[in-house]
Amino acid sequence: MYKKISLRDTEIEELIELENQRQEDYVELIASENYVSEDVLKAAGSCLTNKYGEGYPGKRYYGGCEYVDGIETIAQERAKKLFDVKYANVQPYSGSVANAAIFLSLLKPNDVVLGLDLSCGGHLSHGYKISFSGIFYNATTYFLDQNGHLDYDEIEKRALEVKPKLIICGYSNYSQIIDFERFSQIAKKVNAYLLADISHISGPIIAKLHPSPSPYADVIMTTTHKTLRGTRGAIIMTNNEELAKKIDRAVFPGYQGGPLFHQIAAKAVSFYEALQPEFIEYQKQLLVNSKAFCQTFINKGAKVISGLTQNHLFSIDVKTTYGLTGKQCEDILHTLNITINKNSIPFDTEKPTTTSGIRLGTAAMTSRGFKEDEFIIIANLIDKALREPENLILHNVIRKEIVKLTHMFPIVRKYIEK
Ligand SMILES: *Cc1c(COP(=O)(O)O)cnc(C)c1O
């Protein structure tokens, strides 16, 4: 468990402590969550939150920036090294804001963008109608094929048809390898920019367990809090000097004011950790775990979207498999001390607040030390519980086993001690 935080404001102290305990007692399978190290937490909770420094290192609109300049420069250098790119902007507050800044830097209002449909695993900020990306831009979509895979010939056809200015690859819920080279060929053919949003797969990319978009994408964006195991936030990267300048201007003053230096420092600390050999081992284990976890569901006869996963996540069509909606599964599993999220599946007929699917990921529990054996146990328990959704006696037994497992794998692991 993370160290207890004691505050004069006992109301907030108590809620933080309850959340701390919840994190400890639940098996965390939300694919986009992870546990940061105590070091990352310390940097994020530091005095840097006091500092204003609009602009970039050496070019600030405020005085007293000599130390935060050093911090931001180190964060940039580490990001460049991790992802093998020439330019990195480490200021974006979140992935969605980073994407908004990228759109601002590359596009004019109402330009055509082409991204994967939300139900197939795309992100809200890739053109969904209620996001900036669908409100201010002319958003069009491509879909997955019958097997739940990207169909590059179809995507090319779609691109020739809609003539986008920007093509987006990289997703929130896609379990197969992305062919960035093929995407760049399609983008070149229609004279579009290519954005690789690697928010979910930046960890495997750093570990060279997934191909890198660096040689192929015009712009790369990643959140820093998913498989990268850092603080909440995002970074934007490119190898093109002209684009780098446009991106810097779009982040500030385009979309943001003063950068969050405590978060930039925490990003830098997580990049330091990601440069260590243990991080590669973690990513390897992450994928081994994910495949074992996924294969267990397949063996049980569950309908897994896209087949056996090639990364840290996968989703299950729970309507076909268990006759339940995603929402029902999320609620049932919550009572068993398992946290997941409901997720739309390709061509879902249920609303996004109900869904026919659930998404599962191994990033967080791998950080706590889970290996294949533990994931196989969890898969069996989830499958058992969802096959008998009303058997509360069975559920009670399962919940006890889950709590026992969480206590055997406390959050404080070696990697988070100094
Ligand atoms: C998580 C995610 C984002 C957005 O991240 P936030 O920090 O939640 O705004 C953007 N793109 C993809 C593909 C993601 O998975």
Side-chain angles (χ1 to χ4, degrees):
M1 198 151 119
Y2 290 105
K3 276 198 202 86
K4 183 175 159 54
I5 293 172
S6 135
L7 305 175
R8 203 171 130 193
D9 174 353
T10 50
E11 232 179 346
I12 293 299
E13 177 191 287
E14 190 190 343
L15 287 169
I16 292 176
E17 210 36 43
L18 287 169
E19 170 62 14
N20 197 6
Q21 194 65 52
R22 186 196 68 78
Q23 291 187 9
E24 188 74 15
D25 292 342
Y26 280 67
V27 164
E28 180 55 70
L29 298 175
I30 294 176
S32 43
E33 290 192 15
N34 213 326
Y35 304 102
V36 300
S37 69
E38 291 276 8
D39 281 0
V40 170
L41 216 52
K42 281 180 209 161
S46 66
C47 66
L48 296 168
T49 194
N50 296 336
K51 186 73 198 97
Y52 241 113
E54 285 174 354
Y56 292 96
K59 293 169 281 184
R60 304 283 187 192
Y61 291 86
Y62 289 83
C65 285
E66 55 271 38
Y67 304 116
V68 293
D69 274 8
I71 288 167
E72 185 166 345
T73 305
I74 290 171
Q76 288 168 347
E77 291 307 315
R78 288 179 184 162
K80 289 194 277 190
K81 195 162 166 194
L82 280 174
F83 293 99
D84 191 23
V85 291
K86 294 206 180 96
Y87 304 93
N89 185 309
V90 298
Q91 293 190 359
Y93 300 159
S94 78
S96 300
V97 175
N99 279 339
I102 293 165
F103 276 45
L104 182 67
S105 65
L106 302 177
L107 306 171
K108 294 205 170 53
N110 299 319
D111 273 354
V112 178
V113 298
L114 177 61
L116 181 64
D117 191 72
L118 189 72
S119 77
C120 288
H123 190 262
L124 284 166
S125 62
H126 293 182
Y128 197 56
K129 54 184 185 293
I130 52 173
S131 129
F132 75 88
S133 57
I135 296 171
F136 301 122
Y137 301 91
N138 184 356
T140 63
T141 50
Y142 54 93
F143 296 88
L144 297 179
D145 68 12
Q146 291 299 318
N147 301 319
H149 289 200
L150 291 167
D151 179 338
Y152 296 94
D153 292 337
E154 274 304 312
I155 296 165
E156 181 172 321
K157 244 201 254 164
R158 186 85 179 117
L160 286 165
E161 191 181 294
V162 303
K163 299 189 181 58
K165 271 271 168 57
L166 172 68
I167 297 176
I168 306 170
C169 61
Y171 315 101
S172 289
N173 191 17
Y174 184 64
S175 64
Q176 305 299 304
I177 301 294
I178 301 165
D179 186 344
F180 294 118
E181 185 175 11
R182 184 79 168 87
F183 262 109
S184 91
Q185 288 161 357
I186 296 170
K188 287 209 172 77
K189 195 161 178 176
V190 298
N191 205 17
Y193 288 113
L194 180 64
L195 163 61
D197 178 345
I198 58 170
S199 288
H200 263 278
I201 52 173
S202 49
I205 286 172
I206 289 168
K208 299 196 171 21
L209 300 167
H210 188 290
S212 165
S214 178
Y216 307 112
D218 296 292
V219 182
I220 302 168
M221 193 285 283
T222 182
T223 52
T224 45
H225 47 276
K226 296 175 185 174
T227 51
L228 188 43
R229 203 160 66 185
T231 195
R232 304 200 74 79
I235 55 176
I236 304 173
M237 298 167 282
T238 182
N239 288 306
N240 178 312
E241 192 180 350
E242 276 311 299
L243 288 184
K245 284 182 194 152
K246 286 186 181 174
I247 289 163
D248 283 351
R249 277 199 300 272
V251 172
F252 170 81
Y255 263 100
Q256 300 181 183
L260 311 177
F261 287 117
H262 54 300
Q263 289 296 77
I264 291 173
K267 284 176 204 178
V269 173
S270 66
F271 299 161
Y272 169 89
E273 292 172 355
L275 285 162
Q276 308 308 314
E278 300 89 79
F279 188 77
I280 311 288
E281 293 309 311
Y282 164 61
Q283 296 297 331
K284 282 185 186 155
Q285 191 64 52
L286 182 74
L287 296 195
V288 170
N289 286 348
S290 184
K291 284 184 186 173
F293 195 31
C294 185
Q295 188 63 53
T296 310
F297 281 105
I298 292 172
N299 295 348
K300 291 269 163 193
K303 189 177 171 209
V304 172
I305 308 298
S306 319
L308 183 64
T309 179
Q310 302 300 314
N311 61 25
H312 64 294
L313 62 77
F314 57 93
S315 49
I316 298 174
D317 175 348
V318 286
K319 198 131 168 239
T320 306
T321 308
Y322 304 112
L324 299 167
T325 66
K327 168 99 176 73
Q328 286 172 318
C329 293
E330 185 182 302
D331 291 343
I332 292 168
L333 294 177
H334 184 71
T335 67
L336 306 179
N337 280 41
I338 296 174
T339 314
I340 60 128
N341 64 283
K342 59 183 173 290
N343 220 108
S344 297
I345 55 173
F347 314 106
D348 208 324
T349 50
E350 298 284 352
K351 290 180 301 193
T353 46
T354 311
T355 81
S356 307
I358 58 171
R359 184 184 65 161
L360 304 172
T362 54
M365 293 316 290
T366 302
S367 289
R368 283 176 79 158
F370 268 29
K371 298 255 171 16
E372 298 98 294
D373 285 351
E374 286 77 31
F375 275 106
I376 291 168
I377 291 170
I378 297 285
N380 280 315
L381 291 176
I382 290 175
D383 184 77
K384 236 193 228 173
L386 296 182
R387 281 186 199 281
E388 297 193 47
E390 274 154 30
N391 187 343
L392 296 184
I393 296 168
L394 173 73
H395 286 191
N396 209 24
V397 175
I398 291 176
R399 197 184 73 84
K400 283 190 182 128
E401 285 188 50
I402 297 288
V403 171
K404 210 164 79 192
L405 257 177
T406 62
H407 291 167
M408 283 164 63
F409 292 86
I411 288 177
V412 177
R413 307 290 305 168
K414 231 169 83 212
Y415 80 94
I416 72 178
E417 288 158 10
K418 189 154 189 187

